[in-house]
Amino acid sequence: MAKQESRVLAQNKKAGHDYFIEETIEAGIVLQGTEIKSVRNGKVQLRDAFVRIRNNEAWISNMHISPYEQGNRFNHDPLRSRKLLLHKKQINELIGKTKEQGSAIIPLKMYVKNGYAKVLIGIAKGKKKYDKREDLKKKEAKREMERAFKAKQQY
């Protein structure tokens, strides 16, 4: 009986605004000592983080995990690169997809699943300014329709 306890700790909301997300992959992450305690407290920031492939290994850079308050000398560097746990086949797939012009690998969410820290990474293509404007127009139109529908429902 596997327990499916999953709790989102951090989310990269800016990613949906700046990128078209084409595919997502769940990856484990290697953490040191007090990092997991900070992660469980929700002290994670994914805003400027990105994933690089080095020596056939996936590494996440620029992800900020705050030092644990009770960690004293055992604390870690908040911005250090951390290794992602992926199968070789998945890494080769990522390498192939990032060869395309304008594509990147970015973290979308960090969560705890069955006691293990997981990162949801996405293969993304950057949006142009006009794409972002178009998305905002669609979002605003959808809100207006929902408001009108809600007002009509009340009467």
Side-chain angles (χ1 to χ4, degrees):
M1 285 195 333
K3 57 180 180 169
Q4 283 297 319
E5 173 244 327
S6 183
R7 190 173 60 118
V8 175
L9 303 168
Q11 209 165 10
N12 191 352
K13 294 177 184 174
K14 197 174 176 189
H17 185 263
D18 291 342
Y19 299 97
F20 292 114
I21 309 299
E22 296 177 347
E23 188 180 333
T24 59
I25 299 172
E26 182 182 72
I29 186 167
V30 177
L31 298 173
Q32 290 179 348
T34 58
E35 283 180 323
I36 189 64
K37 292 182 180 195
S38 289
V39 165
R40 286 194 176 126
N41 286 337
K43 307 279 185 167
V44 182
Q45 186 179 27
L46 297 174
R47 189 176 305 130
D48 298 324
F50 58 94
V51 177
R52 279 210 179 124
I53 308 293
R54 283 186 263 146
N55 301 329
N56 288 330
E57 294 178 339
W59 293 83
I60 189 166
S61 301
N62 234 19
M63 180 175 74
H64 188 275
I65 298 179
S66 297
Y68 186 59
E69 288 92 26
Q70 288 85 29
N72 60 41
R73 68 175 188 215
F74 299 109
N75 268 328
H76 55 278
D77 177 26
L79 287 174
R80 75 177 185 87
S81 292
R82 294 164 180 93
K83 187 176 177 180
L84 293 177
L85 303 172
L86 292 165
H87 293 282
K88 186 174 256 178
K89 188 176 179 182
Q90 289 174 317
I91 292 173
N92 289 335
E93 186 180 316
L94 288 175
I95 290 170
K97 298 221 176 169
T98 55
K99 294 283 185 200
E100 298 173 22
Q101 185 66 30
S103 63
I105 309 169
I106 54 169
L108 303 173
K109 282 184 198 175
M110 185 163 193
Y111 50 93
V112 173
K113 182 177 177 183
N114 296 335
Y116 295 103
K118 302 283 185 177
V119 178
L120 186 69
I121 58 175
I123 300 166
K125 284 201 182 273
K127 284 185 183 178
K128 304 283 187 217
K129 204 169 227 172
Y130 58 84
D131 290 328
K132 293 178 188 178
R133 278 192 232 117
E134 192 68 32
D135 280 353
L136 286 174
K137 285 179 190 174
K138 285 180 186 176
K139 201 182 235 182
E140 189 61 37
K142 186 178 177 185
R143 272 196 207 124
E144 285 298 320
M145 285 180 13
E146 287 175 358
R147 281 188 198 129
F149 184 71
K150 190 174 182 181
K152 202 171 192 180
Q153 287 279 331
Q154 289 179 348
Y155 295 111

